[in-house]
Structure formats: C-alpha cells, structure tokens
Amino acid sequence: MLRVYTKSKMESTLLYGPPASGKTTLAQILTKETGLVYISVGQIVREEIRKKSTNGLLLKKYLDDVVEYPVDLISKVVENRLKKLKSGESFLLDGFPKYYNEAKAFLDIKEKHKLNINNIILIEVPLPQVISRVKNRRICLNCLRQYSIEVDGISRCSKCEILLSKREDDSIDFLIRRYTDYKKSIGKTLKILGSNNFKTTKIDGEKHTLEILHLIKNGSLIVKYNLF
C-alpha cells in the first residue's frame, strides 16, 4: 500500500549533500509538495554578506579565507532564522549542522526551542559528477535563487529578470576543497545525530535532475526511499 501523506503530517528534516548535489532543486520541490519551509544556510550566509550586517562581515572573512565558520557565529545565524518560524511550522534545513561541533550546538538549539526534527536526507554524488554540474550552475545576484542552465534553460532570473551569474565559490579548486571537507566531516556529524535518534535516508544523486524531479512529483521517490 502506498503511504499517503498530507502537508500537515510532514516532519522537519535535515538535508545533506556535497556541493552541486542537487540539494537546492530537491529542496524546492519537496517544500512545494509538502509545505515544509526551506531554510538554506548557504542562502542565509549570502544574504547576511549582501546586507553587510555585523554577522555578514564576519562570515565573509571566514568564507574568503576558506576556513570553517566559528561554531558560535554560524549557530547564532541559524538560530536567529529558526526563531522566525511560526509555532508548529515544519522546515527543511539545508547545510547545518555541518561539522561535529555544530551538531552538538544544533542539538542544544533543538532542545532549547523544542524543535520536532528527527529525519535526515543524504544525497550522494561522486566528485567527477559534481565538477560537471558546477559548469552549468548560475545564481541571481539579486534574489540569490540558483539555477542550472542545463535544467532550467534560461539565462535570466525568472523572478528578477536580470542576467544570471556564476557563483564566486564555484571555481574548480575551491569546489574540490569544499567537497573534500564535506566528505571528511559528514560521517562524524551523522554519527552524533544518529546517536540522538535521527533517521537517515540516502538518495542516489547521480540520477539526472529531471528524473529525480519526475519521481518526486509523482510520489515515487517518497515511496521508494521512504523519506518520511
């Protein structure tokens, strides 16, 4: 029997995957289909940097130096966003906690704000595929929405109608460093979350994006992988 679900029954979920794994596209579809609120740490960071806020200036420094954000700083930024959620509102959190120390900080935030979240979606994609995908990735510098030239087939933002740009962090050298860093950290992060009753579901991210979107829209992926 197929599992029937409604928007009100979806639980908050953590979303993981290496750079260019298709997380943003997957998140957009899942949030549209399930009613979850999409919270991207990458988007939050870029917005703080764009606004040149106090936190944004600090984040920009660490980003430029290609070093890990201090746990207190990134945790504060994420917690500030989570506090804006309406009572009982479920969400899809992309990009946090990323490291072991962040996982411990996140568990404190979870307990402090009584967050009902115990699910993890893990997208797996090998490095060669990641590098290939980045060549097609673009971003709107105004609204920060991301696109794939291959999938979306457009050169201008569908919302702002301005020309799309390549992300500053999409150079091959930087991408390899980010991918390597992700692979080294994710195991420890999942271990501490797993010991706190988080349920992890793995997805083969090598499938073509359009194929994954088709499966999601038809409910097949949710049934096949039992995401929730």
Side-chain angles (χ1 to χ4, degrees), residues 24 27 32 38 47 61 82 92 137 150 165 172 177 196 207 213-214:
T24 300
K32 179 180 179 180
Y38 179 43
E47 178 62 20
K61 178 183 183 301
L82 291 174
L92 183 67
R137 186 158 69 177
E150 179 185 14
S165 304
I172 299 302
R177 276 188 287 177
N196 284 271
K207 292 180 181 295
L213 296 185
H214 176 74

Side-chain angles (χ1 to χ4, degrees), residues 20-220:
S21 60
K23 288 188 299 155
T24 300
T25 302
L26 176 60
Q28 289 172 346
I29 294 298
L30 284 177
T31 51
K32 179 180 179 180
E33 296 295 321
T34 65
L36 296 171
V37 176
Y38 179 43
I39 301 178
S40 164
V41 174
Q43 289 183 3
I44 294 173
V45 168
R46 287 190 288 272
E47 178 62 20
E48 291 292 330
I49 291 174
R50 188 182 68 84
K51 294 188 302 184
K52 296 183 178 180
S53 65
T54 300
N55 287 333
L57 293 175
L58 291 172
L59 291 166
K60 181 67 163 58
K61 178 183 183 301
Y62 291 104
L63 182 63
D64 289 344
D65 292 340
V66 196
V67 294
E68 180 182 340
Y69 299 124
V71 175
D72 290 345
L73 174 61
I74 193 64
S75 298
K76 178 181 179 181
V77 171
V78 173
E79 184 175 11
N80 287 341
R81 175 62 184 89
L82 291 174
K83 288 192 296 187
K84 295 180 181 179
L85 290 167
K86 298 177 182 177
S87 177
E89 199 168 34
S90 297
F91 58 90
L92 183 67
L93 180 57
D94 172 8
F96 185 87
K98 183 177 180 182
Y99 300 102
Y100 179 81
N101 288 337
E102 291 179 358
K104 293 194 294 184
F106 173 75
L107 291 174
D108 289 339
I109 294 174
K110 179 178 182 290
E111 178 65 24
K112 177 181 177 181
H113 297 284
K114 307 300 180 184
L115 301 177
N116 181 26
I117 174 170
N118 293 97
N119 295 302
I120 297 173
I121 297 176
L122 178 65
I123 306 175
E124 298 186 317
V125 184
L127 180 58
Q129 180 70 10
V130 165
I131 293 175
S132 175
R133 290 181 179 182
V134 164
K135 295 178 181 178
N136 293 304
R137 186 158 69 177
R138 298 294 184 273
I139 188 171
C140 173
L141 295 180
N142 184 51
C143 68
L144 303 180
R145 181 174 181 178
Q146 296 186 67
Y147 295 86
S148 168
I149 294 177
E150 179 185 14
V151 176
D152 300 302
I154 58 177
S155 59
R156 292 179 176 273
C157 177
S158 59
K159 177 182 179 181
C160 306
E161 299 185 350
I162 65 174
L163 285 172
L164 301 175
S165 304
K166 285 189 70 70
R167 283 174 37 171
E168 292 182 3
D169 56 354
D170 272 352
S171 69
I172 299 302
D173 289 344
F174 190 36
L175 178 66
I176 292 175
R177 276 188 287 177
R178 291 174 59 209
Y179 184 92
T180 302
D181 177 65
Y182 168 80
K183 295 295 286 186
K184 289 172 60 177
S185 65
I186 189 64
K188 294 180 180 179
T189 301
L190 292 179
K191 185 175 181 179
I192 188 173
L193 294 176
S195 65
N196 284 271
N197 299 318
F198 280 74
K199 297 169 290 184
T200 302
T201 300
K202 296 181 180 180
I203 294 178
D204 179 7
E206 287 194 81
K207 292 180 181 295
H208 192 284
T209 304
L210 293 178
E211 180 183 358
I212 294 177
L213 296 185
H214 176 74
L215 291 171
I216 294 173
K217 289 179 180 179
N218 287 279
S220 303

